[in-house]
Amino acid sequence: MVMDHTFAPNRTYSRTKWTKYVWIMCCSVWMVSVLRYFHSEGTTIPDPRASSRGHLGKAPKNGEWYDLLCPRYRLQKMTEPTQLNWLPPNEDTIVFTQTSCGLNFNGRQACAVESAARHHPHQLVTVFVTGPLVDWSHPLIKILTNLDNVLFSWLDLDDLFSDSPLQHWYQEKLWLINEEHQSAFISDASRAEILRKYGGTYMDLDALTLRPLPNRTNYLGRVDSQRITGAIMSLVKGHPLSHILAKSIPEVYKPFQADSIGPALVNSALRELCPGNLTSSTFSRRLSNTSSDNEVSAYLEDTSPYFQSPEMCSDLTIYPEKMFYPIGYHHYTGERALLFKRGRGYGEKFLRASKAFSLHLYNSLTWMEKVVSGGDSILEEAMRRNCPSVHQYMEENVGLL
């Protein structure tokens, strides 16, 4: 009997073809995984709640706030990622929050932390960040973590907003409606809830500390004659003002009005707490864009506003505007630009006369403004004196402030 071998080559071809199909399918699955990774869908990241042994797991998915707030968070950009834990503050803590999911800090932010730590060596300065890891290899992070009283903590929003007047607002993700301002809304809400639950002294990351803050609790300050702001605010745990702020956020929140739960809410809350008890500031000196150098010098060296009596609202002290915001933020007056001008000796003049506790940089308005290091601007002189380690690094390695 003669055997027919005509199908043997076809069987060989079928095995080859099947192997090819399997290879194509594997490649396709791999490509899909890569694309999903780079679109931050289901990225595996170290769990901040895990043990210190570096266990890898999924970020907490209760509400999936992390993926929504931090969609572009990238571990591969970190040289030395270090896992953070959620460590709540107390009434003696100075608190900063970074809710933009940044992997590291810029010079101004690092200076804010260093200056607060140096002026308060016996107080804990906690930096709450929404990213669950921090890059310990970053030079500015190294400077801050080398300070004995600086601590980085993960800002666990699920934990913070649980059992809170803000819980429903948070879980409904109303803060996501306006992507441009969502990190600012989370910052405003976190500030209110941290102070309500734990108390402490909150400071914006663009506020440089010039001298020790008031040796008291329950205070904030005017930013101008009409507005009081919470960019720097100290409250005891459970203070009525923090309760009003927290309960009011869901009621007044407007996703396309960036200020709706910021200074505007602080002012309305104070009016509710002390109806008819708040006046306008008596400080009226202002500059214009055409002010002469002599007029600018007189503005910077004027100490009279520092001796105004603070206003009182119940047990709250409201400091005059020059105490926390000595340089005005209005562009049309020309004041804001004074922070960055070189060659006029403004830095020395301002710091010699100023009795302010802090210097606010209004980062949302000035983030594009840069100063070449080695000059005499107010910004550089303030950094040189109050955050010397950050200033030295920026001067030697970056050249811009």
Side-chain angles (χ1 to χ4, degrees), residues 13-14 16-27:
Y13 173 75
S14 297
T16 304
K17 186 176 182 180
W18 176 248
T19 302
K20 181 179 179 181
Y21 285 157
V22 171
W23 175 249
I24 291 173
M25 290 175 65
C26 290
C27 289

Side-chain angles (χ1 to χ4, degrees), residues 340-357:
F340 310 99
K341 285 189 176 180
R342 306 173 68 215
R344 308 288 185 85
Y346 289 164
E348 173 64 30
K349 291 178 181 178
F350 166 73
L351 289 168
R352 182 177 62 245
S354 176
K355 301 182 184 302
F357 295 114

Side-chain angles (χ1 to χ4, degrees), residues 106-112 115 204-210 231-232 324-329 336-340 350 358-369 371 377-380 382-383 387 401:
N106 61 39
R108 296 186 193 180
Q109 294 171 324
C111 183
S115 61
D204 275 356
L205 266 175
D206 56 352
L208 311 186
T209 305
L210 303 182
I232 299 175
F324 291 119
Y325 313 97
I327 304 296
Y329 67 94
R336 197 170 74 215
L338 298 181
L339 291 166
F340 310 99
F350 166 73
S358 67
L359 176 66
H360 207 279
L361 304 180
Y362 313 109
N363 195 59
S364 62
L365 303 174
T366 65
W367 64 273
M368 294 186 67
E369 299 283 351
V371 174
S377 68
I378 293 175
L379 173 60
E380 175 147 21
M383 291 183 69
C387 57
L401 304 176

Side-chain angles (χ1 to χ4, degrees), residues 272-334:
E272 179 180 339
L273 192 62
C274 300
N277 196 36
L278 296 178
T279 60
S280 296
S281 169
T282 57
F283 178 63
S284 59
R285 180 189 289 275
R286 281 285 176 260
L287 298 177
S288 71
N289 284 316
T290 59
S291 294
S292 67
D293 196 56
N294 287 337
E295 290 173 322
V296 171
S297 295
Y299 169 84
L300 295 175
E301 295 174 322
D302 182 10
T303 60
S304 59
Y306 297 111
F307 299 104
Q308 290 184 30
S309 297
E311 300 166 73
M312 297 302 298
C313 169
S314 182
D315 63 344
L316 282 168
T317 301
I318 302 171
Y319 284 96
E321 60 191 89
K322 279 283 191 175
M323 299 307 294
F324 291 119
Y325 313 97
I327 304 296
Y329 67 94
H330 293 293
H331 175 66
Y332 62 84
T333 63

Side-chain angles (χ1 to χ4, degrees), residues 76-313:
Q76 67 267 32
K77 291 184 179 179
M78 290 191 180
T79 304
E80 192 179 338
T82 301
Q83 184 175 289
L84 299 176
N85 294 310
W86 161 239
L87 301 168
N90 58 48
E91 291 180 354
D92 294 325
T93 306
I94 296 174
V95 171
F96 292 92
T97 62
Q98 188 206 58
T99 56
S100 59
C101 306
L103 299 181
N104 44 55
F105 276 34
N106 61 39
R108 296 186 193 180
Q109 294 171 324
C111 183
V113 177
E114 182 187 357
S115 61
R118 288 189 180 277
H119 284 293
H120 305 88
H122 303 299
Q123 277 184 269
L124 182 63
V125 176
T126 300
V127 185
F128 287 100
V129 296
T130 44
L133 294 100
V134 67
D135 190 355
W136 245 233
S137 68
H138 190 277
L140 292 176
I141 299 294
K142 280 186 175 181
I143 288 172
L144 298 181
T145 54
N146 282 335
L147 297 170
D148 292 339
N149 58 330
V150 171
L151 172 71
F152 280 80
S153 173
W154 185 48
L155 184 61
D156 185 347
L157 300 184
D158 284 339
D159 195 306
L160 178 63
F161 292 124
S162 65
D163 190 26
S164 161
L166 288 161
Q167 186 168 0
H168 178 74
W169 176 87
Y170 163 69
Q171 291 178 342
E172 289 296 309
K173 303 180 183 67
L174 300 178
W175 44 273
L176 273 173
I177 295 175
N178 186 342
E179 183 177 3
E180 181 181 0
H181 296 299
Q182 62 189 28
S183 66
F185 292 142
I186 285 293
S187 178
D188 289 333
S190 297
R191 170 189 337 180
E193 190 57 18
I194 286 173
L195 293 177
R196 187 189 76 88
K197 275 189 173 180
Y198 309 107
T201 300
Y202 169 88
M203 298 188 73
D204 275 356
L205 266 175
D206 56 352
L208 311 186
T209 305
L210 303 182
R211 53 178 41 83
L213 296 172
N215 187 22
R216 64 174 73 188
T217 53
N218 301 334
Y219 64 79
L220 63 171
R222 285 190 174 276
V223 69
D224 60 27
S225 62
Q226 302 300 317
R227 298 203 307 169
I228 300 164
T229 183
I232 299 175
M233 180 165 52
S234 180
L235 296 174
V236 295
K237 176 181 177 180
H239 191 277
L241 177 61
S242 61
H243 276 286
I244 295 173
L245 292 173
K247 77 175 180 62
S248 299
I249 285 176
E251 302 168 5
V252 304
Y253 170 67
K254 295 180 177 61
F256 296 99
Q257 183 180 328
D259 186 41
S260 63
I261 60 173
L265 176 57
V266 171
N267 283 265
S268 64
L270 286 169
R271 286 193 294 270
E272 179 180 339
L273 192 62
C274 300
N277 196 36
L278 296 178
T279 60
S280 296
S281 169
T282 57
F283 178 63
S284 59
R285 180 189 289 275
R286 281 285 176 260
L287 298 177
S288 71
N289 284 316
T290 59
S291 294
S292 67
D293 196 56
N294 287 337
E295 290 173 322
V296 171
S297 295
Y299 169 84
L300 295 175
E301 295 174 322
D302 182 10
T303 60
S304 59
Y306 297 111
F307 299 104
Q308 290 184 30
S309 297
E311 300 166 73
M312 297 302 298
C313 169

Side-chain angles (χ1 to χ4, degrees), residues 43-62 65-66 73 75 81-86 130-134 154-156 158:
T43 304
T44 299
I45 65 172
D47 182 353
R49 301 178 190 269
S51 71
S52 59
R53 296 179 181 178
H55 169 72
L56 294 183
K58 287 285 185 179
K61 295 297 179 183
N62 181 12
W65 69 267
Y66 177 81
Y73 193 76
L75 294 185
T82 301
Q83 184 175 289
L84 299 176
N85 294 310
W86 161 239
T130 44
L133 294 100
V134 67
W154 185 48
L155 184 61
D156 185 347
D158 284 339

